Amino acid sequence: MSRQQWTEVDAYLEQALVGEDPGLSAALAASAKAGLPEIAVSPTQGKLLHLLALTAGARRILEIGSLGGYSAIWMARALPADGRLISLELSPANAAVARANLHEAGLEKVAEVRTGRAADSLAELVDEGAEPFDLVFIDADKPSIPDYLDWSLKLTKPGSLIIVDNVVRGGKVADPESTDASVLGIRRMHEMVAADPRVSGTAVQTVGAKGYDGFALIRVN
């Protein structure tokens, strides 16, 4: 099956199961206009995040890596009226786009974007005594994924769900000889999940318009 076929199937599934959403389309258009890279999750992946948040009954969601706020919109829409989503973004320019998109989507009352190094923002959340998050979505720099997972375990509780994106790296994750920092970060994350009795996890390969990759699902025990 070719990349073109993957893209065609994605387009079909998007039309059949997601449909046209003016708010989400506007967020993607604003992100493109601002020059952000086109690396947001696909619409079908976005709806998966939404459904997982609903299934988990999430009231508090943490996102590491905002980009333009597309995935944040999907997840924040699953929150109850008194819910909260906190999204962390290194780039002030990206954060500004994400905030504007969340505002346009009518979600500014339940979602906030914090700017700075994710490690610093995560430490601040711990220092603040933040209430545990029910769902964490990690979609940031891959070499730091092990650290983000470690911080996430400090900010969740039994039953919380942690989702990590881009964990297959086009198949490179299976190469034990790889010296790519992103691959090494993901391999280390898988090793941590396998060895830590506090969590149980798996990973799923995906193909589609975004190419060949995958995501990990990790449940806090």
PDB file of all heavy atoms in Angstrom, residues 162-194:
ATOM      1  N   ILE A 162      -1.771   8.572  29.773  1.00  0.00           N
ATOM      2  CA  ILE A 162      -0.724   9.370  29.138  1.00  0.00           C
ATOM      3  C   ILE A 162      -0.587   8.897  27.700  1.00  0.00           C
ATOM      4  O   ILE A 162      -0.428   7.703  27.440  1.00  0.00           O
ATOM      5  CB  ILE A 162       0.619   9.224  29.882  1.00  0.00           C
ATOM      6  CG1 ILE A 162       0.481   9.664  31.340  1.00  0.00           C
ATOM      7  CG2 ILE A 162       1.714  10.030  29.180  1.00  0.00           C
ATOM      8  CD1 ILE A 162       1.699   9.328  32.199  1.00  0.00           C
ATOM      9  N   ILE A 163      -0.664   9.828  26.761  1.00  0.00           N
ATOM     10  CA  ILE A 163      -0.547   9.508  25.334  1.00  0.00           C
ATOM     11  C   ILE A 163       0.711  10.188  24.808  1.00  0.00           C
ATOM     12  O   ILE A 163       0.910  11.388  25.023  1.00  0.00           O
ATOM     13  CB  ILE A 163      -1.775  10.010  24.559  1.00  0.00           C
ATOM     14  CG1 ILE A 163      -3.062   9.469  25.186  1.00  0.00           C
ATOM     15  CG2 ILE A 163      -1.676   9.613  23.087  1.00  0.00           C
ATOM     16  CD1 ILE A 163      -4.303  10.205  24.737  1.00  0.00           C
ATOM     17  N   VAL A 164       1.557   9.434  24.136  1.00  0.00           N
ATOM     18  CA  VAL A 164       2.785   9.983  23.562  1.00  0.00           C
ATOM     19  C   VAL A 164       2.724   9.804  22.048  1.00  0.00           C
ATOM     20  O   VAL A 164       2.536   8.685  21.559  1.00  0.00           O
ATOM     21  CB  VAL A 164       4.039   9.289  24.125  1.00  0.00           C
ATOM     22  CG1 VAL A 164       5.296   9.986  23.603  1.00  0.00           C
ATOM     23  CG2 VAL A 164       4.016   9.284  25.645  1.00  0.00           C
ATOM     24  N   ASP A 165       2.894  10.894  21.313  1.00  0.00           N
ATOM     25  CA  ASP A 165       2.803  10.835  19.847  1.00  0.00           C
ATOM     26  C   ASP A 165       4.178  10.615  19.220  1.00  0.00           C
ATOM     27  O   ASP A 165       5.213  10.867  19.839  1.00  0.00           O
ATOM     28  CB  ASP A 165       2.188  12.137  19.323  1.00  0.00           C
ATOM     29  CG  ASP A 165       1.577  11.966  17.938  1.00  0.00           C
ATOM     30  OD1 ASP A 165       1.406  10.808  17.490  1.00  0.00           O
ATOM     31  OD2 ASP A 165       1.262  12.986  17.296  1.00  0.00           O
ATOM     32  N   ASN A 166       4.151  10.131  17.981  1.00  0.00           N
ATOM     33  CA  ASN A 166       5.362   9.977  17.147  1.00  0.00           C
ATOM     34  C   ASN A 166       6.385   9.039  17.764  1.00  0.00           C
ATOM     35  O   ASN A 166       7.564   9.368  17.889  1.00  0.00           O
ATOM     36  CB  ASN A 166       6.011  11.337  16.883  1.00  0.00           C
ATOM     37  CG  ASN A 166       5.041  12.373  16.338  1.00  0.00           C
ATOM     38  OD1 ASN A 166       4.929  13.463  16.882  1.00  0.00           O
ATOM     39  ND2 ASN A 166       4.329  12.036  15.292  1.00  0.00           N
ATOM     40  N   VAL A 167       5.950   7.836  18.141  1.00  0.00           N
ATOM     41  CA  VAL A 167       6.841   6.929  18.850  1.00  0.00           C
ATOM     42  C   VAL A 167       7.419   5.817  17.964  1.00  0.00           C
ATOM     43  O   VAL A 167       8.138   4.950  18.446  1.00  0.00           O
ATOM     44  CB  VAL A 167       6.132   6.290  20.063  1.00  0.00           C
ATOM     45  CG1 VAL A 167       5.662   7.356  21.030  1.00  0.00           C
ATOM     46  CG2 VAL A 167       4.982   5.386  19.634  1.00  0.00           C
ATOM     47  N   VAL A 168       7.116   5.853  16.666  1.00  0.00           N
ATOM     48  CA  VAL A 168       7.640   4.827  15.759  1.00  0.00           C
ATOM     49  C   VAL A 168       8.730   5.395  14.846  1.00  0.00           C
ATOM     50  O   VAL A 168       9.628   4.676  14.416  1.00  0.00           O
ATOM     51  CB  VAL A 168       6.487   4.193  14.946  1.00  0.00           C
ATOM     52  CG1 VAL A 168       7.013   3.255  13.862  1.00  0.00           C
ATOM     53  CG2 VAL A 168       5.552   3.425  15.883  1.00  0.00           C
ATOM     54  N   ARG A 169       8.666   6.698  14.596  1.00  0.00           N
ATOM     55  CA  ARG A 169       9.722   7.396  13.851  1.00  0.00           C
ATOM     56  C   ARG A 169       9.970   6.766  12.492  1.00  0.00           C
ATOM     57  O   ARG A 169      11.104   6.493  12.099  1.00  0.00           O
ATOM     58  CB  ARG A 169      11.029   7.428  14.652  1.00  0.00           C
ATOM     59  CG  ARG A 169      10.933   7.792  16.123  1.00  0.00           C
ATOM     60  CD  ARG A 169      10.301   9.108  16.380  1.00  0.00           C
ATOM     61  NE  ARG A 169      11.017  10.198  15.724  1.00  0.00           N
ATOM     62  CZ  ARG A 169      10.492  11.418  15.569  1.00  0.00           C
ATOM     63  NH1 ARG A 169       9.272  11.676  16.009  1.00  0.00           N
ATOM     64  NH2 ARG A 169      11.191  12.357  14.974  1.00  0.00           N
ATOM     65  N   GLY A 170       8.896   6.460  11.751  1.00  0.00           N
ATOM     66  CA  GLY A 170       9.061   5.865  10.436  1.00  0.00           C
ATOM     67  C   GLY A 170       9.703   4.494  10.469  1.00  0.00           C
ATOM     68  O   GLY A 170      10.297   4.051   9.483  1.00  0.00           O
ATOM     69  N   GLY A 171       9.602   3.811  11.589  1.00  0.00           N
ATOM     70  CA  GLY A 171      10.196   2.488  11.747  1.00  0.00           C
ATOM     71  C   GLY A 171      11.584   2.504  12.350  1.00  0.00           C
ATOM     72  O   GLY A 171      12.113   1.454  12.733  1.00  0.00           O
ATOM     73  N   LYS A 172      12.179   3.681  12.485  1.00  0.00           N
ATOM     74  CA  LYS A 172      13.551   3.776  12.986  1.00  0.00           C
ATOM     75  C   LYS A 172      13.675   3.359  14.446  1.00  0.00           C
ATOM     76  O   LYS A 172      14.770   3.032  14.896  1.00  0.00           O
ATOM     77  CB  LYS A 172      14.071   5.206  12.808  1.00  0.00           C
ATOM     78  CG  LYS A 172      14.199   5.638  11.354  1.00  0.00           C
ATOM     79  CD  LYS A 172      14.645   7.088  11.241  1.00  0.00           C
ATOM     80  CE  LYS A 172      14.706   7.547   9.790  1.00  0.00           C
ATOM     81  NZ  LYS A 172      15.067   8.986   9.695  1.00  0.00           N
ATOM     82  N   VAL A 173      12.563   3.376  15.179  1.00  0.00           N
ATOM     83  CA  VAL A 173      12.612   3.018  16.592  1.00  0.00           C
ATOM     84  C   VAL A 173      13.075   1.569  16.787  1.00  0.00           C
ATOM     85  O   VAL A 173      13.584   1.212  17.855  1.00  0.00           O
ATOM     86  CB  VAL A 173      11.230   3.237  17.249  1.00  0.00           C
ATOM     87  CG1 VAL A 173      10.222   2.195  16.779  1.00  0.00           C
ATOM     88  CG2 VAL A 173      11.337   3.230  18.755  1.00  0.00           C
ATOM     89  N   ALA A 174      12.927   0.746  15.762  1.00  0.00           N
ATOM     90  CA  ALA A 174      13.324  -0.664  15.876  1.00  0.00           C
ATOM     91  C   ALA A 174      14.806  -0.884  15.629  1.00  0.00           C
ATOM     92  O   ALA A 174      15.292  -2.008  15.771  1.00  0.00           O
ATOM     93  CB  ALA A 174      12.504  -1.515  14.903  1.00  0.00           C
ATOM     94  N   ASP A 175      15.524   0.173  15.274  1.00  0.00           N
ATOM     95  CA  ASP A 175      16.949   0.048  14.954  1.00  0.00           C
ATOM     96  C   ASP A 175      17.797   0.243  16.210  1.00  0.00           C
ATOM     97  O   ASP A 175      17.966   1.375  16.677  1.00  0.00           O
ATOM     98  CB  ASP A 175      17.337   1.081  13.896  1.00  0.00           C
ATOM     99  CG  ASP A 175      18.812   1.038  13.533  1.00  0.00           C
ATOM    100  OD1 ASP A 175      19.514   0.107  13.982  1.00  0.00           O
ATOM    101  OD2 ASP A 175      19.270   1.940  12.796  1.00  0.00           O
ATOM    102  N   PRO A 176      18.367  -0.825  16.764  1.00  0.00           N
ATOM    103  CA  PRO A 176      19.153  -0.698  17.995  1.00  0.00           C
ATOM    104  C   PRO A 176      20.472   0.033  17.785  1.00  0.00           C
ATOM    105  O   PRO A 176      21.123   0.430  18.755  1.00  0.00           O
ATOM    106  CB  PRO A 176      19.386  -2.148  18.423  1.00  0.00           C
ATOM    107  CG  PRO A 176      19.342  -2.923  17.152  1.00  0.00           C
ATOM    108  CD  PRO A 176      18.311  -2.226  16.303  1.00  0.00           C
ATOM    109  N   GLU A 177      20.869   0.224  16.517  1.00  0.00           N
ATOM    110  CA  GLU A 177      22.125   0.907  16.221  1.00  0.00           C
ATOM    111  C   GLU A 177      21.940   2.397  15.963  1.00  0.00           C
ATOM    112  O   GLU A 177      22.909   3.113  15.722  1.00  0.00           O
ATOM    113  CB  GLU A 177      22.795   0.270  14.989  1.00  0.00           C
ATOM    114  CG  GLU A 177      23.031  -1.230  15.102  1.00  0.00           C
ATOM    115  CD  GLU A 177      23.906  -1.572  16.292  1.00  0.00           C
ATOM    116  OE1 GLU A 177      24.860  -0.823  16.567  1.00  0.00           O
ATOM    117  OE2 GLU A 177      23.625  -2.591  16.956  1.00  0.00           O
ATOM    118  N   SER A 178      20.708   2.865  15.998  1.00  0.00           N
ATOM    119  CA  SER A 178      20.441   4.275  15.697  1.00  0.00           C
ATOM    120  C   SER A 178      21.129   5.189  16.702  1.00  0.00           C
ATOM    121  O   SER A 178      21.161   4.905  17.908  1.00  0.00           O
ATOM    122  CB  SER A 178      18.932   4.540  15.715  1.00  0.00           C
ATOM    123  OG  SER A 178      18.673   5.921  15.507  1.00  0.00           O
ATOM    124  N   THR A 179      21.654   6.294  16.187  1.00  0.00           N
ATOM    125  CA  THR A 179      22.244   7.321  17.044  1.00  0.00           C
ATOM    126  C   THR A 179      21.409   8.604  17.026  1.00  0.00           C
ATOM    127  O   THR A 179      21.819   9.614  17.584  1.00  0.00           O
ATOM    128  CB  THR A 179      23.682   7.638  16.598  1.00  0.00           C
ATOM    129  OG1 THR A 179      23.667   8.068  15.231  1.00  0.00           O
ATOM    130  CG2 THR A 179      24.577   6.409  16.733  1.00  0.00           C
ATOM    131  N   ASP A 180      20.253   8.548  16.361  1.00  0.00           N
ATOM    132  CA  ASP A 180      19.356   9.700  16.279  1.00  0.00           C
ATOM    133  C   ASP A 180      18.814  10.005  17.672  1.00  0.00           C
ATOM    134  O   ASP A 180      18.243   9.134  18.339  1.00  0.00           O
ATOM    135  CB  ASP A 180      18.217   9.377  15.316  1.00  0.00           C
ATOM    136  CG  ASP A 180      17.281  10.544  15.111  1.00  0.00           C
ATOM    137  OD1 ASP A 180      16.628  10.963  16.088  1.00  0.00           O
ATOM    138  OD2 ASP A 180      17.182  11.052  13.976  1.00  0.00           O
ATOM    139  N   ALA A 181      18.968  11.248  18.112  1.00  0.00           N
ATOM    140  CA  ALA A 181      18.550  11.623  19.469  1.00  0.00           C
ATOM    141  C   ALA A 181      17.056  11.412  19.689  1.00  0.00           C
ATOM    142  O   ALA A 181      16.628  11.035  20.789  1.00  0.00           O
ATOM    143  CB  ALA A 181      18.923  13.079  19.745  1.00  0.00           C
ATOM    144  N   SER A 182      16.251  11.643  18.653  1.00  0.00           N
ATOM    145  CA  SER A 182      14.810  11.446  18.794  1.00  0.00           C
ATOM    146  C   SER A 182      14.473   9.970  18.962  1.00  0.00           C
ATOM    147  O   SER A 182      13.640   9.591  19.790  1.00  0.00           O
ATOM    148  CB  SER A 182      14.077  12.020  17.575  1.00  0.00           C
ATOM    149  OG  SER A 182      14.194  13.428  17.537  1.00  0.00           O
ATOM    150  N   VAL A 183      15.125   9.130  18.171  1.00  0.00           N
ATOM    151  CA  VAL A 183      14.909   7.686  18.280  1.00  0.00           C
ATOM    152  C   VAL A 183      15.355   7.190  19.651  1.00  0.00           C
ATOM    153  O   VAL A 183      14.663   6.402  20.306  1.00  0.00           O
ATOM    154  CB  VAL A 183      15.653   6.942  17.158  1.00  0.00           C
ATOM    155  CG1 VAL A 183      15.606   5.426  17.387  1.00  0.00           C
ATOM    156  CG2 VAL A 183      15.059   7.292  15.797  1.00  0.00           C
ATOM    157  N   LEU A 184      16.508   7.658  20.105  1.00  0.00           N
ATOM    158  CA  LEU A 184      17.015   7.237  21.405  1.00  0.00           C
ATOM    159  C   LEU A 184      16.071   7.662  22.531  1.00  0.00           C
ATOM    160  O   LEU A 184      15.855   6.906  23.487  1.00  0.00           O
ATOM    161  CB  LEU A 184      18.413   7.811  21.637  1.00  0.00           C
ATOM    162  CG  LEU A 184      19.512   7.283  20.707  1.00  0.00           C
ATOM    163  CD1 LEU A 184      20.826   8.006  20.972  1.00  0.00           C
ATOM    164  CD2 LEU A 184      19.694   5.778  20.860  1.00  0.00           C
ATOM    165  N   GLY A 185      15.500   8.855  22.414  1.00  0.00           N
ATOM    166  CA  GLY A 185      14.556   9.319  23.425  1.00  0.00           C
ATOM    167  C   GLY A 185      13.317   8.439  23.482  1.00  0.00           C
ATOM    168  O   GLY A 185      12.836   8.087  24.564  1.00  0.00           O
ATOM    169  N   ILE A 186      12.808   8.064  22.308  1.00  0.00           N
ATOM    170  CA  ILE A 186      11.617   7.222  22.258  1.00  0.00           C
ATOM    171  C   ILE A 186      11.925   5.819  22.763  1.00  0.00           C
ATOM    172  O   ILE A 186      11.130   5.217  23.510  1.00  0.00           O
ATOM    173  CB  ILE A 186      11.050   7.180  20.831  1.00  0.00           C
ATOM    174  CG1 ILE A 186      10.503   8.555  20.420  1.00  0.00           C
ATOM    175  CG2 ILE A 186       9.964   6.116  20.708  1.00  0.00           C
ATOM    176  CD1 ILE A 186       9.356   9.050  21.280  1.00  0.00           C
ATOM    177  N   ARG A 187      13.070   5.264  22.380  1.00  0.00           N
ATOM    178  CA  ARG A 187      13.431   3.932  22.868  1.00  0.00           C
ATOM    179  C   ARG A 187      13.560   3.930  24.392  1.00  0.00           C
ATOM    180  O   ARG A 187      13.130   2.987  25.064  1.00  0.00           O
ATOM    181  CB  ARG A 187      14.742   3.471  22.204  1.00  0.00           C
ATOM    182  CG  ARG A 187      14.577   3.051  20.747  1.00  0.00           C
ATOM    183  CD  ARG A 187      15.912   2.631  20.128  1.00  0.00           C
ATOM    184  NE  ARG A 187      16.433   1.421  20.740  1.00  0.00           N
ATOM    185  CZ  ARG A 187      16.213   0.183  20.270  1.00  0.00           C
ATOM    186  NH1 ARG A 187      15.464  -0.010  19.199  1.00  0.00           N
ATOM    187  NH2 ARG A 187      16.752  -0.867  20.866  1.00  0.00           N
ATOM    188  N   ARG A 188      14.151   4.977  24.932  1.00  0.00           N
ATOM    189  CA  ARG A 188      14.290   5.083  26.379  1.00  0.00           C
ATOM    190  C   ARG A 188      12.915   5.147  27.043  1.00  0.00           C
ATOM    191  O   ARG A 188      12.678   4.530  28.093  1.00  0.00           O
ATOM    192  CB  ARG A 188      15.129   6.315  26.737  1.00  0.00           C
ATOM    193  CG  ARG A 188      15.258   6.586  28.230  1.00  0.00           C
ATOM    194  CD  ARG A 188      15.874   5.410  28.966  1.00  0.00           C
ATOM    195  NE  ARG A 188      15.903   5.618  30.405  1.00  0.00           N
ATOM    196  CZ  ARG A 188      15.789   4.644  31.302  1.00  0.00           C
ATOM    197  NH1 ARG A 188      15.638   3.382  30.924  1.00  0.00           N
ATOM    198  NH2 ARG A 188      15.827   4.923  32.588  1.00  0.00           N
ATOM    199  N   MET A 189      11.986   5.874  26.426  1.00  0.00           N
ATOM    200  CA  MET A 189      10.629   5.962  26.968  1.00  0.00           C
ATOM    201  C   MET A 189       9.965   4.588  27.006  1.00  0.00           C
ATOM    202  O   MET A 189       9.351   4.209  28.010  1.00  0.00           O
ATOM    203  CB  MET A 189       9.800   6.939  26.125  1.00  0.00           C
ATOM    204  CG  MET A 189       8.377   7.162  26.614  1.00  0.00           C
ATOM    205  SD  MET A 189       7.162   5.968  25.956  1.00  0.00           S
ATOM    206  CE  MET A 189       7.199   6.376  24.222  1.00  0.00           C
ATOM    207  N   HIS A 190      10.102   3.830  25.918  1.00  0.00           N
ATOM    208  CA  HIS A 190       9.525   2.481  25.893  1.00  0.00           C
ATOM    209  C   HIS A 190      10.136   1.612  27.000  1.00  0.00           C
ATOM    210  O   HIS A 190       9.419   0.844  27.672  1.00  0.00           O
ATOM    211  CB  HIS A 190       9.781   1.827  24.531  1.00  0.00           C
ATOM    212  CG  HIS A 190       8.978   2.402  23.411  1.00  0.00           C
ATOM    213  ND1 HIS A 190       7.621   2.612  23.490  1.00  0.00           N
ATOM    214  CD2 HIS A 190       9.337   2.798  22.154  1.00  0.00           C
ATOM    215  CE1 HIS A 190       7.178   3.119  22.346  1.00  0.00           C
ATOM    216  NE2 HIS A 190       8.207   3.239  21.526  1.00  0.00           N
ATOM    217  N   GLU A 191      11.438   1.730  27.182  1.00  0.00           N
ATOM    218  CA  GLU A 191      12.119   0.953  28.222  1.00  0.00           C
ATOM    219  C   GLU A 191      11.605   1.334  29.612  1.00  0.00           C
ATOM    220  O   GLU A 191      11.413   0.465  30.479  1.00  0.00           O
ATOM    221  CB  GLU A 191      13.628   1.180  28.136  1.00  0.00           C
ATOM    222  CG  GLU A 191      14.263   0.605  26.874  1.00  0.00           C
ATOM    223  CD  GLU A 191      15.659   1.135  26.627  1.00  0.00           C
ATOM    224  OE1 GLU A 191      16.146   1.948  27.446  1.00  0.00           O
ATOM    225  OE2 GLU A 191      16.270   0.752  25.603  1.00  0.00           O
ATOM    226  N   MET A 192      11.387   2.632  29.820  1.00  0.00           N
ATOM    227  CA  MET A 192      10.871   3.095  31.115  1.00  0.00           C
ATOM    228  C   MET A 192       9.487   2.517  31.391  1.00  0.00           C
ATOM    229  O   MET A 192       9.197   2.056  32.499  1.00  0.00           O
ATOM    230  CB  MET A 192      10.811   4.625  31.132  1.00  0.00           C
ATOM    231  CG  MET A 192      12.159   5.309  31.175  1.00  0.00           C
ATOM    232  SD  MET A 192      12.039   7.109  30.904  1.00  0.00           S
ATOM    233  CE  MET A 192      11.067   7.618  32.337  1.00  0.00           C
ATOM    234  N   VAL A 193       8.633   2.540  30.379  1.00  0.00           N
ATOM    235  CA  VAL A 193       7.280   2.025  30.548  1.00  0.00           C
ATOM    236  C   VAL A 193       7.311   0.536  30.873  1.00  0.00           C
ATOM    237  O   VAL A 193       6.591   0.053  31.760  1.00  0.00           O
ATOM    238  CB  VAL A 193       6.441   2.289  29.283  1.00  0.00           C
ATOM    239  CG1 VAL A 193       5.100   1.569  29.356  1.00  0.00           C
ATOM    240  CG2 VAL A 193       6.228   3.785  29.091  1.00  0.00           C
ATOM    241  N   ALA A 194       8.173  -0.199  30.166  1.00  0.00           N
ATOM    242  CA  ALA A 194       8.252  -1.647  30.377  1.00  0.00           C
ATOM    243  C   ALA A 194       8.762  -1.996  31.775  1.00  0.00           C
ATOM    244  O   ALA A 194       8.362  -3.014  32.351  1.00  0.00           O
ATOM    245  CB  ALA A 194       9.163  -2.268  29.320  1.00  0.00           C
TER     246      ALA A 194
END
